[in-house]
Amino acid sequence: MKIARFHYDHETHFGVVDGVAVRVLEGDPMRDGIVETGVTLELSDVDLIAPVAPSKVVCIGMNFAEHAAEMHHDGPATPLIFLKPPTAVVGDGDTIVIPPLPGRIVHEGELAVVIGRRAHRVAEADWRDVVFGYTIANDVSARDVMFADGQWARAKGYDTFCPIGPWIETEFDPFERHEITTTVDGEVRRRGFTSDMTHKVSEIIAFVSDAFTLFPGDIICTGTPAGLGGFTDGQTVSITIDGIGTLTNPARNRDDRV
Ligand code: MG
């Protein structure tokens, strides 16, 4: 089942995406379950927004061996956690705004876990109990700022640096071999498979929830596969995960970038 969140008639709703239609839900499916209103809209008539408004976005760094190698790193023995602020989150179709920073702005196409219930110190065997579904994230990163700052909060935390969407797929197995492909203006830049993560989603949920209490709607980005290259003003970044869909965002310079 694909669950989207959208603006329609000046209100925010959740809905079940069914082909070119969306069946409107009552309330928040993470709180209220799947309760249909009986109203069906055309998908093209609604404005999709980020499928959740997370209290926090937790990210896992260097979780694919080939990507760690291209970053000149062996890959961490335990999941490497960092955070992106919720103010960085935008939805499918929204613009990634590039501030006046030195160096490249890099796309990181990633599988994102959507938490469905309050989760604190979850046992690895119980990881499925706290997952609502999965979406796609772009962990946008100012690479040179990461190295210059010595930590990643600013480089990965600018407004619009966390596109997520287009919707949440509730029937998806991250242990299966689902391809993750990132393109810029249609050219493939990164490619990998969910089954190749170093630290699996079960281990990640146990590890992260040992440190942070997770709330419904929180997001965990599971790391990017290998592939280099960035994007600039006027280009469009698309990330496809088979079994979920495609997240597409245009990029433009902020008005103070010369
Ligand atoms: Mg990343």
Side-chain angles (χ1 to χ4, degrees):
M1 187 180 282
K2 291 177 168 57
I3 308 289
R5 197 165 67 111
F6 52 90
H7 289 146
Y8 180 76
D9 204 15
H10 309 292
E11 286 185 32
T12 301
H13 304 274
F14 286 89
V16 177
V17 177
D18 184 3
V20 296
V22 55
R23 303 197 306 271
V24 181
L25 295 176
E26 296 275 5
D28 179 340
M30 277 160 273
R31 183 189 62 215
D32 307 318
I34 304 294
V35 184
E36 298 202 11
T37 59
V39 176
T40 299
L41 303 169
E42 294 288 313
L43 188 55
S44 58
D45 287 343
V46 304
D47 175 22
L48 291 187
I49 59 174
V52 287
S55 81
K56 53 193 166 298
V57 177
V58 184
C59 297
I60 307 301
M62 294 187 277
N63 199 29
F64 286 77
E66 283 182 33
H67 172 59
E70 74 191 6
M71 298 289 283
H72 310 291
H73 197 288
D74 291 337
T78 54
L80 173 64
I81 298 176
F82 61 95
L83 294 164
K84 287 166 97 86
T87 43
V89 171
V90 292
D92 182 55
D94 291 339
T95 300
I96 301 167
V97 180
I98 303 173
L101 299 171
R104 285 182 308 145
I105 305 298
V106 176
H107 41 71
E108 296 191 359
E110 308 191 5
L111 176 70
V113 181
V114 180
I115 297 298
R117 60 168 67 170
R118 188 179 188 278
H120 172 62
R121 297 184 66 192
V122 178
E124 191 166 336
D126 297 333
W127 69 278
R128 282 190 177 84
D129 295 349
V130 304
V131 175
F132 181 72
Y134 299 85
T135 190
I136 302 166
N138 188 350
D139 173 19
V140 177
S141 306
R143 221 23 124 230
D144 291 18
V145 176
M146 288 170 65
F147 296 124
D149 283 4
Q151 52 94 352
W152 303 350
R154 183 169 72 105
K156 288 170 171 281
Y158 276 85
D159 287 357
T160 77
F161 273 25
C162 191
I164 58 172
W167 42 62
I168 302 162
E169 174 57 68
T170 59
E171 286 139 67
F172 183 89
D173 183 348
F175 284 78
E176 288 179 357
R177 189 176 163 83
H178 295 281
E179 189 167 43
I180 308 172
T181 308
T182 301
T183 66
V184 175
D185 290 345
E187 178 188 322
V188 174
R189 295 289 188 79
R190 288 180 182 271
R191 178 172 272 163
F193 295 90
T194 55
S195 47
D196 292 338
M197 289 178 197
T198 304
H199 302 288
K200 308 301 186 191
V201 171
S202 50
E203 179 189 356
I204 289 169
I205 287 173
F207 191 84
V208 169
S209 72
D210 186 72
F212 309 140
T213 297
L214 300 169
F215 294 116
D218 280 355
I219 293 283
I220 304 176
C221 302
T222 56
T224 189
L228 297 171
F231 58 93
T232 57
D233 181 62
Q235 294 192 302
T236 297
V237 184
S238 286
I239 302 162
T240 299
I241 300 181
D242 71 55
I244 301 179
T246 299
L247 171 68
T248 299
N249 298 92
R252 69 166 172 79
N253 285 344
R254 208 168 75 180
D255 57 9
D256 58 344
R257 184 178 172 109
V258 290

